Structure formats: structure tokens, C-alpha cells
Amino acid sequence: MSLYELIQKNRDLFFIDAQTGHAVGIRSFHQSLSIDDRQGLVFIYSDNGIGSVEVLLNFLNSRFTVVMLSAQLHPSFKQNLEELYSPYYIFDAARPAVYGYNTVTVSATIKLLKCKNPPDHQIHSNIKMLLSTSGTTGSPKFVKLSDNNLVQNAWSILDYMPIKNDDVVPLNVPVVFVYGLSIFTTNCMAAGTIVCTSKDLLQPAFWTDFSKYNCSTIGGVPYVYEALHRIGFFKKDHPSLRYMTQTGGILNQALRQEIVRYCNTYHKQFIAQYGQTEAAGRMAFLPQEHLLTKAASIGRPVKNGRFEIDPETSELIYYGPNVFGGYANSPADLNTWQESNKLYTGDVARQDDEGYYYITGRIKRIIKLFGTRLNLDEVELILKNGLGGQTVVCTGINDKLLQVSHVNEQLEESTIKQALKDKLNIHPTAVQVKYIPSMPLTPNGKVDYTSISTA
Amino acid sequence: MHTQQHLQEVIAKAFGITANDITDELEYQSIPEWDSVSHLVLVTELETAYSITIEMEDVLTMGSITKIKELLQKYNVTTAG
């Protein structure tokens, strides 16, 4: 069964539009939009609102390949991606018109942009969805996922996630991130109500809705839990809340203890997970009873998945039916599918005596700032372009800071911070700028990232 | 007594924009610079600048510049002039 059929099978599922309070049954979204029956790409700029959800569901039930993008993506990034990939349809509530596209009314509430001269991309029939490896850099690099990848990931999550058929689930994690998408797919298959909201948890309206609809769960990256802590979430019971989920890195020790205390006091569940876009979602989870005893562990592999540690590099390798079919850097990559169940995670790991895994480092040049994955090579390139070709080197400091090293004594710190803010919306306080007299190089002439990081 | 100008600068620093761009009408999430990340940075910056401790519940009520000013009054920080 396809993901769409599995969602439709959950016949009593409702979606609530948090903006209006309207509730819509899943059956009302079945073929609710008049869209062409053909292959092609659809760009969905999602804000997690009910419109985005309706568009997503309709296109899941079509021959189109869905490309999930953030509505908040910088306009120039949107334009670049559209020029490169020429999507057949675009859904973007923020832009009534786009050059080269006609506005088409596909339902009483939804308008799409339709390409005037659609390209004839050959798209491999396995490719159901393209997800960006990073939600913010506007990189043209996408992960190719099949319908089966998404279904397998959902089944393996449903194996351990305590989802009930009367759960009310707020979409507080953007569905353009694979984690938000997993929350969406699994709960559409097994929960009762999805609250479509573009509010975040620092807005009082989010909490009004949370109480009003008796929300059962909440999800987030460590940064979100830090914010929850800051607004006093763990100080009192939230009676409708049953369980919390987390991914995107390890919680700090103090926060972990606070969460365990909260869960014990009010009988809540907390499930930490480990995943990647390339695995269509989750690869491992840590049950709550080990949150303190196996501190800093990513847990054990999800159902139908397994891990292996490369004996030479200690790289964590995942095997499972949810592993992606390769990357797409341009439309030319859309006619291929590399079938594999093996994924090199880029993380360095160890395993303890009881079979639990721990991440000890990274092989790939990737950091997570506020839970968002940043490819340092991409950041470096965007920053170089933004600074007119200056030599800069980007490294990470404990997923807390982005360090920019440069060799130009005249280059102002504020110029670098401004460029990062303009292009990538990276907060200036998360950036550390360092002038170095000369760039350290490896014997073969490449930038020596290790010596910059440790200097 | 703190000056209005000083408050503008504290807020501008937290958001990474210039003090001139701070108006009373500015709201949370109305500009890309005022997101959940910079909101919590702002809380910390205000605490440092005015030597106050902002209550957890109040973090949620700081949804606009006007509301921030009202809140500061509650903490006996006045920003006239």
C-alpha cells in the first residue's frame, strides 16, 4: 500500500486549521484539487498550514514528485531552485505570480502556479519526494526518496512510538524537515487529529491552541527543549500531553535530568531519536528508561534497521529499507535511482556492551546550529560569494558556534556576520570570527580543517 | 533611568539589525531577524542590560516592541527620553 492509501485508511482522521478552528476529515481531501495527471515536479513551499497539507496529500496521490521547501526560504533561493528544476507546479501562498507561470485555481481555496512551457524531465518512477539536506541554504542538492522509503520509515516508527487513535498532534515541527515529515506521516496513519499550525511555541497562540485542542504530543530538536525549559513548560503539568519526541542531537545533562524529573512526576513519555534525511527519517531511538542510564546514547536501531561500525574509520553504517536512492544536484539526476539499503551516516560511533550506540564525532563537514543541519562546505561557498571571493574557512564548535576563519586583516567581523545573516539567516551571536595570518594547508594543498578546528 | 535609545540598541543587537529599524509596531516573526532563536537571545540581552530576571511566563508575552516596553515597566525599568 502506498503512503497515501495508508493515510486514507485512517478514515476518522481530522485536520484542524488552527487559524480558523475549522476541522476537515481526511476523506474531504481525497482528490480535492484539480491537478493534471502526469509526471513532473511540484514545489510545495510549506508553512505547515492546512493549505500546504491539502496540497501535499493531493500530490502524494498523483504521479508527481513532491519537492518540500520552506515557505520562509529566501526569495532569491526560491528563484534559483525554480530556474534550475523548472517545476511543473508551484504552491507558494506568499507569491501570487511568478514569471513563466500561470496562476491556476485548483479548488475554492487553493491556487497553484503552473509552468507555461513545462520541461520534459525524465523522472524515475521510484522518486516520490525530494527533500533538501538543509532547509535554509537553498542548496540545489536533494535527497531522492521513494514512496516505499516513506512507508517503511513510518512502519518502523509506529513500532515504538506510543501513538493512539485519539491523539491530537500539533505540527510544531516544519514538515519540510524529515523529522517533521515523519511526525506528519506516522500520525496521519495512526492518530486522530492533526492541528495544522504555523505558530511556534514562543507564541502565546500556540499554547492557547495546545490547551484548546488537548494536544497529546510535542516534538523538537534540543534547542526547542531549551526554549521549552526557558518558558517554564516543565514547571507544571499539561494534562493532555502524553509524550514528547526529540531528535537532532543530544540534550545537555541538566536538561535531560529536568525532563526525566518532569516525566516521572507527571507520567509522561519522552522518546529521543536519531535520524537523517537520507534514511527518510529515523534510524534509532532511545527508550525513556535509558535517558539517564544511557546518557548521550542514540539508542538502538529501529525495527527492520541495523547498524554496523566500520572497523577502520569507526563510521556508523545503517542498513534498512528506508535508505534513499541517491542525491539530485540537477534535473539530470532525476532519471536515476540507486537502490541500496546501506547508508554511510558520516557519524563516528561506538557501541556499548548492551548494544547501545553513541555518536562520538563526525566525518562529514556538517554542524547543527539550533537544530538545523548546515553543510559547512555550502556555507563556506555562499559566504565566499557574498564577500566577493574572500578566502574564508568555516568550522563548527560543538554545534554551538559557527567559526569563520579568514586571512584578510582588513575584513571586518561585522561584514562576515552581516553576510551570514543576509544569506542564511544565521544569528550573529552564533558566529565566531577569527583572523589567522595564513591558511594552514595539508601536504596535498587542501585546507587543513583539523588544525583550524583545534587551533 | 534608561534611555529609549539604549533599549533600541539592546534590541537591535539581539536581532542583528540597526537600531533605526526598531519600531513599536515590530512583532515577533514579522521579520526574519525576530525568530525563536533571536527571541531568546533578546531575553538574555535584556536581563544583562537591565540587571533583571525575566519570569518564564513573561518570555511568551514579549510579542511586540510595545509589549516589551510594557513588560520592562513591570520590572521597574523605565525607558523615557
Side-chain angles (χ1 to χ4, degrees), chain A residues 35-272:
Chain A
I35 51 173
D36 295 345
D37 176 21
R38 55 164 288 158
Q39 274 209 319
L41 296 179
V42 52
F43 276 20
I44 301 179
Y45 292 101
S46 168
D47 64 355
N48 275 19
I50 200 156
S52 309
V53 166
E54 182 176 1
V55 172
L56 170 58
L57 287 168
N58 271 268
F59 279 101
L60 281 178
N61 182 34
S62 78
R63 291 195 287 144
F64 279 91
T65 296
V66 175
V67 187
M68 295 300 288
L69 295 157
S70 168
Q72 282 146 19
L73 201 62
H74 196 285
S76 68
F77 288 154
K78 288 183 180 177
Q79 201 184 335
N80 291 345
L81 289 171
E82 285 156 13
E83 276 168 14
L84 179 61
Y85 282 96
S86 323
Y88 187 85
Y89 283 121
I90 296 171
F91 173 71
D92 186 356
R95 288 180 306 166
V98 168
Y99 180 74
Y101 283 78
N102 290 317
T103 307
V104 288
T105 303
V106 293
S107 80
T109 50
I110 307 275
K111 285 186 172 62
L112 297 177
L113 296 158
K114 183 173 165 179
C115 194
K116 284 179 183 167
N117 300 302
D120 213 10
H121 295 325
Q122 292 299 310
I123 303 177
H124 195 283
S125 59
N126 275 15
I127 306 174
K128 187 66 220 169
M129 190 174 278
L130 296 178
L131 286 184
S132 171
T133 52
S134 146
T136 50
T137 59
S139 159
K141 186 176 176 181
F142 289 97
V143 167
K144 298 190 278 192
L145 298 173
S146 66
D147 197 78
N148 188 52
N149 287 152
L150 298 170
V151 168
Q152 294 293 337
N153 170 63
W155 282 132
S156 60
I157 293 173
L158 288 169
D159 177 61
Y160 63 84
M161 199 61 85
I163 300 177
K164 289 185 181 173
N165 63 8
D166 59 352
D167 275 348
V168 181
V169 182
L171 289 183
N172 74 298
V173 182
V175 291
V176 302
F177 296 125
V178 75
Y179 176 47
L181 183 71
S182 291
I183 292 173
F184 178 77
T185 59
T186 51
N187 285 290
C188 280
M189 283 165 67
T193 306
I194 308 285
V195 180
C196 303
T197 178
S198 45
K199 296 272 182 268
D200 69 48
L201 46 82
L202 289 181
Q203 289 172 294
F206 179 83
W207 297 107
T208 309
D209 290 341
F210 196 87
S211 308
K212 181 168 150 195
Y213 300 119
N214 288 311
C215 289
S216 321
T217 179
I218 199 161
V221 296
Y223 161 70
V224 164
Y225 283 93
E226 287 165 24
L228 282 174
H229 182 50
R230 186 66 186 83
I231 61 173
F233 183 81
F234 301 117
K235 291 286 168 213
K236 61 173 198 275
D237 189 15
H238 302 271
S240 64
L241 180 77
R242 265 196 20 259
Y243 74 99
M244 296 171 274
T245 68
Q246 182 251 319
T247 191
I250 300 297
L251 293 169
N252 70 59
Q253 182 66 21
L255 186 53
R256 197 180 308 136
Q257 282 170 352
E258 174 71 1
I259 289 172
V260 168
R261 184 201 59 76
Y262 179 77
C263 289
N264 290 341
T265 309
Y266 299 111
H267 309 290
K268 312 292 186 193
Q269 280 177 276
F270 186 91
I271 298 120

Side-chain angles (χ1 to χ4, degrees), chain B residues 28-47:
Chain B
Y28 178 62
Q29 294 291 12
S30 67
I31 51 168
E33 289 83 0
W34 192 353
D35 59 8
S36 62
V37 172
S38 59
H39 191 75
L40 293 183
V41 172
L42 174 64
V43 172
T44 310
E45 295 280 342
L46 290 172
E47 289 183 332

